[in-house]
């Protein structure tokens, strides 16, 4: 059974940077299409970043140019590097996985395209 464990969330000041991680247990990371989502209090979960392949990714408009996503199959981990953080980036961040059954990933930012989820890691940005 696949298990996703996020880590690295903390409180940072506006304009700061942070990298959060998601470690995948139970199966090789390379078998999955991976994405990052976030949910702020009182708001719906939204897609932030998703990998299409090693050097291509899709980002939401709100984070384009500030966030990068990467993964290490050797370490079984997914990463989200966040730069120039803003108070509106405050949220619980989740990683999500969907088995790559078609041999390619679409980079979907729709939560319904993913089937396995971690418990989340909290990122708080103060102004």
């Amino acid at each position: 059974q696949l298990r996703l464990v996020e880590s690295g969330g903390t409180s940072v000041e506006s304009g700061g940077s942070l990298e959060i991680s998601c470690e995948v247990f139970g199966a090789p990371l390379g078998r999955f299409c991976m994405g990052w989502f976030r949910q702020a209090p009182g708001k719906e979960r939204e897609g932030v970043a998703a990998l299409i392949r090693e050097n291509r990714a899709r980002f939401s408009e709100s984070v384009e140019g500030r966030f990068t996503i990467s993964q290490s199959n050797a370490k079984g981990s997914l990463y989200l590097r966040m730069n120039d953080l803003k108070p509106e980036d405050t949220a619980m961040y989740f990683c999500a996985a969907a088995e790559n059954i078609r041999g390619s990933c679409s980079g979907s930012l729709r939560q319904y395209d993913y089937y396995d989820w971690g418990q989340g890691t909290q990122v708080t940005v103060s102004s």
Side-chain angles (χ1 to χ4, degrees):
Q1 185 173 350
L2 196 68
R3 188 164 67 99
L4 310 179
V5 180
E6 301 93 337
S7 63
T10 188
S11 297
V12 296
E13 291 187 355
S14 182
S17 297
L18 183 67
E19 183 174 82
I20 58 177
S21 305
C22 170
E23 193 166 3
V24 177
F25 299 92
L29 178 57
R31 282 177 46 186
F32 299 90
C33 297
M34 303 296 296
W36 284 101
F37 291 75
R38 69 185 181 187
Q39 188 167 19
K43 294 189 176 181
E44 291 188 359
R45 189 171 297 188
E46 64 168 339
V48 174
L51 280 168
I52 298 172
R53 50 176 177 264
E54 189 174 338
N55 59 351
R56 278 195 65 197
R58 194 185 312 277
F59 298 92
S60 67
E61 285 187 14
S62 60
V63 308
E64 179 89 51
R66 299 188 297 122
F67 290 13
T68 57
I69 182 174
S70 61
Q71 73 179 47
S72 167
N73 290 347
K75 295 181 179 179
S77 293
L78 179 74
Y79 306 97
L80 184 69
R81 175 70 181 182
M82 302 178 285
N83 296 320
D84 190 23
L85 282 160
K86 304 175 180 181
E88 52 264 41
D89 294 318
T90 295
M92 184 73 78
Y93 283 72
F94 301 88
C95 65
E99 190 158 6
N100 183 1
I101 58 176
R102 291 184 287 185
S104 63
C105 297
S106 67
S108 173
L109 295 179
R110 301 187 313 166
Q111 60 176 317
Y112 303 108
D113 287 333
Y114 295 85
Y115 304 105
D116 292 284
W117 293 82
Q119 294 300 306
T121 187
Q122 177 68 37
V123 174
T124 303
V125 185
S126 58
S127 57

